[in-house]
Short mmCIF file of all heavy atoms in Angstrom, two decimals:
data_model
loop_
_atom_site.label_atom_id
_atom_site.label_comp_id
_atom_site.label_asym_id
_atom_site.label_seq_id
_atom_site.Cartn_x
_atom_site.Cartn_y
_atom_site.Cartn_z
N VAL A 1 10.42 -20.88 -13.90
CA VAL A 1 9.02 -20.63 -13.58
C VAL A 1 8.19 -20.69 -14.83
O VAL A 1 8.43 -19.97 -15.81
CB VAL A 1 8.85 -19.26 -12.89
CG1 VAL A 1 7.42 -19.08 -12.40
CG2 VAL A 1 9.83 -19.10 -11.72
N LEU A 2 7.16 -21.55 -14.81
CA LEU A 2 6.21 -21.67 -15.93
C LEU A 2 4.88 -21.06 -15.49
O LEU A 2 4.32 -21.46 -14.49
CB LEU A 2 6.04 -23.13 -16.31
CG LEU A 2 7.30 -23.97 -16.53
CD1 LEU A 2 6.92 -25.44 -16.80
CD2 LEU A 2 8.11 -23.42 -17.68
N PHE A 3 4.39 -20.08 -16.25
CA PHE A 3 3.06 -19.50 -15.99
C PHE A 3 2.41 -19.24 -17.31
O PHE A 3 2.88 -18.44 -18.09
CB PHE A 3 3.18 -18.27 -15.11
CG PHE A 3 4.19 -17.24 -15.51
CD1 PHE A 3 3.81 -16.06 -16.14
CD2 PHE A 3 5.56 -17.47 -15.31
CE1 PHE A 3 4.73 -15.11 -16.52
CE2 PHE A 3 6.47 -16.53 -15.67
CZ PHE A 3 6.09 -15.35 -16.29
N GLY A 4 1.29 -19.94 -17.55
CA GLY A 4 0.65 -19.91 -18.86
C GLY A 4 1.59 -20.42 -19.94
O GLY A 4 2.17 -21.47 -19.82
N ILE A 5 1.74 -19.63 -20.98
CA ILE A 5 2.69 -20.00 -22.09
C ILE A 5 4.05 -19.38 -21.86
O ILE A 5 4.96 -19.52 -22.68
CB ILE A 5 2.12 -19.59 -23.44
CG1 ILE A 5 1.96 -18.08 -23.53
CG2 ILE A 5 0.80 -20.27 -23.74
CD1 ILE A 5 1.58 -17.56 -24.94
N ASN A 6 4.24 -18.71 -20.75
CA ASN A 6 5.49 -18.02 -20.45
C ASN A 6 6.39 -18.80 -19.57
O ASN A 6 5.98 -19.70 -18.82
CB ASN A 6 5.21 -16.65 -19.81
CG ASN A 6 4.31 -15.78 -20.68
OD1 ASN A 6 4.66 -15.44 -21.80
ND2 ASN A 6 3.16 -15.40 -20.12
N ARG A 7 7.68 -18.51 -19.60
CA ARG A 7 8.64 -19.12 -18.72
C ARG A 7 9.74 -18.10 -18.40
O ARG A 7 10.04 -17.21 -19.17
CB ARG A 7 9.27 -20.41 -19.31
CG ARG A 7 10.07 -20.20 -20.58
CD ARG A 7 10.52 -21.49 -21.16
NE ARG A 7 11.52 -22.19 -20.37
CZ ARG A 7 11.49 -23.48 -20.11
NH1 ARG A 7 10.48 -24.26 -20.54
NH2 ARG A 7 12.44 -24.05 -19.37
N ARG A 8 10.27 -18.26 -17.20
CA ARG A 8 11.34 -17.34 -16.79
C ARG A 8 12.27 -18.04 -15.79
O ARG A 8 11.79 -18.85 -14.98
CB ARG A 8 10.74 -16.10 -16.18
CG ARG A 8 11.77 -15.10 -15.69
CD ARG A 8 11.07 -13.84 -15.19
NE ARG A 8 11.98 -12.96 -14.48
CZ ARG A 8 11.63 -11.88 -13.79
NH1 ARG A 8 10.36 -11.48 -13.80
NH2 ARG A 8 12.51 -11.15 -13.16
N GLU A 9 13.54 -17.76 -15.90
CA GLU A 9 14.49 -18.34 -14.93
C GLU A 9 14.88 -17.31 -13.89
O GLU A 9 15.17 -16.16 -14.24
CB GLU A 9 15.72 -18.86 -15.64
CG GLU A 9 15.43 -20.06 -16.53
CD GLU A 9 16.73 -20.68 -17.10
OE1 GLU A 9 17.84 -20.05 -16.89
OE2 GLU A 9 16.65 -21.75 -17.72
N ILE A 10 14.83 -17.70 -12.61
CA ILE A 10 15.14 -16.77 -11.53
C ILE A 10 16.07 -17.47 -10.52
O ILE A 10 16.06 -18.70 -10.42
CB ILE A 10 13.89 -16.28 -10.81
CG1 ILE A 10 13.18 -17.44 -10.11
CG2 ILE A 10 12.94 -15.60 -11.78
CD1 ILE A 10 12.06 -17.03 -9.19
N PRO A 11 16.90 -16.70 -9.78
CA PRO A 11 17.72 -17.30 -8.74
C PRO A 11 16.92 -17.59 -7.49
O PRO A 11 15.93 -16.87 -7.20
CB PRO A 11 18.78 -16.26 -8.49
CG PRO A 11 18.13 -14.95 -8.83
CD PRO A 11 17.18 -15.29 -9.98
N ALA A 12 17.30 -18.60 -6.73
CA ALA A 12 16.59 -18.93 -5.51
C ALA A 12 17.61 -19.33 -4.45
O ALA A 12 18.42 -20.25 -4.65
CB ALA A 12 15.62 -20.07 -5.74
N ARG A 13 17.55 -18.68 -3.31
CA ARG A 13 18.43 -18.98 -2.20
C ARG A 13 17.89 -20.15 -1.38
O ARG A 13 16.68 -20.24 -1.11
CB ARG A 13 18.59 -17.78 -1.31
CG ARG A 13 19.19 -16.56 -2.02
CD ARG A 13 19.14 -15.32 -1.16
NE ARG A 13 19.58 -14.12 -1.88
CZ ARG A 13 19.53 -12.90 -1.43
NH1 ARG A 13 18.99 -12.71 -0.18
NH2 ARG A 13 19.93 -11.90 -2.12
N SER A 14 18.78 -21.04 -0.97
CA SER A 14 18.32 -22.24 -0.29
C SER A 14 17.66 -21.98 1.08
O SER A 14 16.88 -22.77 1.55
CB SER A 14 19.52 -23.19 -0.07
OG SER A 14 20.53 -22.58 0.72
N LEU A 15 18.02 -20.84 1.70
CA LEU A 15 17.48 -20.55 3.04
C LEU A 15 16.27 -19.63 2.97
O LEU A 15 15.84 -19.12 4.00
CB LEU A 15 18.56 -19.90 3.92
CG LEU A 15 19.82 -20.78 4.14
CD1 LEU A 15 20.78 -20.13 5.09
CD2 LEU A 15 19.41 -22.17 4.68
N GLU A 16 15.76 -19.43 1.78
CA GLU A 16 14.49 -18.67 1.61
C GLU A 16 13.51 -19.57 0.83
O GLU A 16 13.89 -20.38 0.03
CB GLU A 16 14.76 -17.39 0.85
CG GLU A 16 15.58 -16.37 1.62
CD GLU A 16 15.77 -15.09 0.84
OE1 GLU A 16 15.79 -15.11 -0.40
OE2 GLU A 16 15.91 -14.04 1.50
N THR A 17 12.24 -19.32 1.08
CA THR A 17 11.24 -20.13 0.42
C THR A 17 11.16 -19.83 -1.07
O THR A 17 11.58 -18.77 -1.54
CB THR A 17 9.87 -19.94 1.05
OG1 THR A 17 9.43 -18.59 0.83
CG2 THR A 17 9.88 -20.25 2.53
N VAL A 18 10.52 -20.75 -1.81
CA VAL A 18 10.28 -20.52 -3.22
C VAL A 18 9.44 -19.29 -3.45
O VAL A 18 9.70 -18.49 -4.38
CB VAL A 18 9.60 -21.77 -3.82
CG1 VAL A 18 9.19 -21.49 -5.31
CG2 VAL A 18 10.54 -22.97 -3.77
N ALA A 19 8.47 -19.06 -2.58
CA ALA A 19 7.63 -17.82 -2.68
C ALA A 19 8.44 -16.57 -2.57
O ALA A 19 8.25 -15.61 -3.31
CB ALA A 19 6.53 -17.85 -1.59
N VAL A 20 9.40 -16.57 -1.65
CA VAL A 20 10.27 -15.38 -1.48
C VAL A 20 11.11 -15.15 -2.72
O VAL A 20 11.29 -14.05 -3.18
CB VAL A 20 11.17 -15.48 -0.23
CG1 VAL A 20 12.22 -14.43 -0.19
CG2 VAL A 20 10.29 -15.41 1.03
N ALA A 21 11.64 -16.25 -3.30
CA ALA A 21 12.42 -16.16 -4.52
C ALA A 21 11.57 -15.55 -5.66
O ALA A 21 12.03 -14.71 -6.43
CB ALA A 21 12.96 -17.51 -4.93
N LEU A 22 10.36 -15.98 -5.79
CA LEU A 22 9.45 -15.46 -6.82
C LEU A 22 9.20 -13.98 -6.56
O LEU A 22 9.27 -13.14 -7.50
CB LEU A 22 8.12 -16.22 -6.78
CG LEU A 22 8.17 -17.70 -7.26
CD1 LEU A 22 6.85 -18.38 -6.92
CD2 LEU A 22 8.42 -17.79 -8.74
N GLU A 23 8.92 -13.62 -5.32
CA GLU A 23 8.67 -12.20 -5.00
C GLU A 23 9.89 -11.32 -5.26
O GLU A 23 9.78 -10.20 -5.75
CB GLU A 23 8.19 -12.08 -3.54
CG GLU A 23 6.82 -12.69 -3.33
CD GLU A 23 6.51 -12.88 -1.85
OE1 GLU A 23 7.45 -12.82 -1.00
OE2 GLU A 23 5.35 -13.09 -1.51
N ARG A 24 11.06 -11.86 -4.94
CA ARG A 24 12.29 -11.09 -5.13
C ARG A 24 12.52 -10.81 -6.63
O ARG A 24 13.08 -9.77 -7.00
CB ARG A 24 13.49 -11.87 -4.58
CG ARG A 24 14.78 -11.11 -4.54
CD ARG A 24 15.94 -11.99 -4.08
NE ARG A 24 15.71 -12.47 -2.74
CZ ARG A 24 15.92 -11.73 -1.65
NH1 ARG A 24 16.31 -10.49 -1.75
NH2 ARG A 24 15.70 -12.25 -0.45
N ALA A 25 11.99 -11.69 -7.48
CA ALA A 25 12.15 -11.54 -8.93
C ALA A 25 10.96 -10.78 -9.54
O ALA A 25 10.90 -10.65 -10.74
CB ALA A 25 12.27 -12.90 -9.58
N GLY A 26 10.08 -10.27 -8.68
CA GLY A 26 8.93 -9.52 -9.21
C GLY A 26 7.78 -10.38 -9.65
O GLY A 26 6.91 -9.90 -10.38
N LEU A 27 7.77 -11.64 -9.25
CA LEU A 27 6.73 -12.59 -9.64
C LEU A 27 5.89 -12.92 -8.38
O LEU A 27 5.98 -14.06 -7.84
CB LEU A 27 7.28 -13.84 -10.29
CG LEU A 27 8.16 -13.62 -11.53
CD1 LEU A 27 8.77 -14.94 -11.97
CD2 LEU A 27 7.31 -13.00 -12.63
N ALA A 28 5.12 -12.00 -7.88
CA ALA A 28 4.39 -12.21 -6.65
C ALA A 28 3.19 -13.11 -6.82
O ALA A 28 2.26 -12.76 -7.57
CB ALA A 28 3.98 -10.87 -6.07
N ILE A 29 3.17 -14.25 -6.18
CA ILE A 29 2.04 -15.12 -6.24
C ILE A 29 1.11 -14.84 -5.05
O ILE A 29 1.47 -14.08 -4.14
CB ILE A 29 2.43 -16.62 -6.25
CG1 ILE A 29 3.23 -16.99 -4.99
CG2 ILE A 29 3.25 -16.92 -7.49
CD1 ILE A 29 3.57 -18.46 -4.85
N ASP A 30 -0.06 -15.46 -5.03
CA ASP A 30 -1.03 -15.17 -3.98
C ASP A 30 -0.71 -16.01 -2.75
O ASP A 30 -0.95 -17.21 -2.71
CB ASP A 30 -2.44 -15.54 -4.50
CG ASP A 30 -3.53 -14.99 -3.59
OD1 ASP A 30 -3.18 -14.44 -2.53
OD2 ASP A 30 -4.71 -15.13 -3.94
N THR A 31 -0.09 -15.36 -1.75
CA THR A 31 0.22 -16.05 -0.50
C THR A 31 -0.52 -15.36 0.61
O THR A 31 -0.57 -14.11 0.63
CB THR A 31 1.73 -16.00 -0.22
OG1 THR A 31 2.15 -14.65 -0.20
CG2 THR A 31 2.52 -16.72 -1.29
N ARG A 32 -1.05 -16.10 1.53
CA ARG A 32 -1.82 -15.52 2.64
C ARG A 32 -1.27 -15.94 3.98
O ARG A 32 -0.83 -15.13 4.77
CB ARG A 32 -3.27 -15.85 2.51
CG ARG A 32 -3.84 -15.40 1.13
CD ARG A 32 -5.32 -15.33 1.07
NE ARG A 32 -5.75 -14.86 -0.24
CZ ARG A 32 -7.02 -14.56 -0.57
NH1 ARG A 32 -7.98 -14.72 0.29
NH2 ARG A 32 -7.31 -14.14 -1.78
N CYS A 33 -1.23 -17.25 4.22
CA CYS A 33 -0.74 -17.67 5.54
C CYS A 33 0.79 -17.64 5.62
O CYS A 33 1.34 -17.49 6.67
CB CYS A 33 -1.24 -19.08 5.84
SG CYS A 33 -0.44 -20.39 4.86
N ARG A 34 1.48 -17.84 4.52
CA ARG A 34 2.93 -17.92 4.41
C ARG A 34 3.50 -18.99 5.33
O ARG A 34 4.64 -18.89 5.78
CB ARG A 34 3.56 -16.56 4.74
CG ARG A 34 3.11 -15.45 3.78
CD ARG A 34 3.95 -14.24 3.91
NE ARG A 34 5.26 -14.42 3.27
CZ ARG A 34 5.49 -14.21 1.97
NH1 ARG A 34 4.49 -13.84 1.15
NH2 ARG A 34 6.69 -14.39 1.50
N SER A 35 2.76 -20.05 5.57
CA SER A 35 3.21 -21.12 6.43
C SER A 35 2.83 -22.50 5.93
O SER A 35 2.96 -23.48 6.63
CB SER A 35 2.70 -20.92 7.84
OG SER A 35 1.28 -20.91 7.87
N GLY A 36 2.29 -22.56 4.69
CA GLY A 36 1.98 -23.84 4.11
C GLY A 36 0.63 -24.43 4.44
O GLY A 36 0.39 -25.64 4.20
N THR A 37 -0.24 -23.64 5.01
CA THR A 37 -1.52 -24.21 5.49
C THR A 37 -2.73 -23.83 4.70
O THR A 37 -3.69 -24.61 4.60
CB THR A 37 -1.75 -23.83 6.97
OG1 THR A 37 -1.72 -22.43 7.10
CG2 THR A 37 -0.66 -24.43 7.89
N CYS A 38 -2.77 -22.60 4.12
CA CYS A 38 -4.03 -22.15 3.50
C CYS A 38 -4.24 -22.69 2.09
O CYS A 38 -5.35 -22.87 1.64
CB CYS A 38 -4.11 -20.63 3.52
SG CYS A 38 -3.10 -19.79 2.27
#
């Protein structure tokens, strides 16, 4: 994950979305619809 000048490696399960993987690692991004539309 690249954000600004920072980077971090996190695990991601294939049956969960990238957003869920980020949240599981404490990197919560701004999600609203959670379905790919907004």
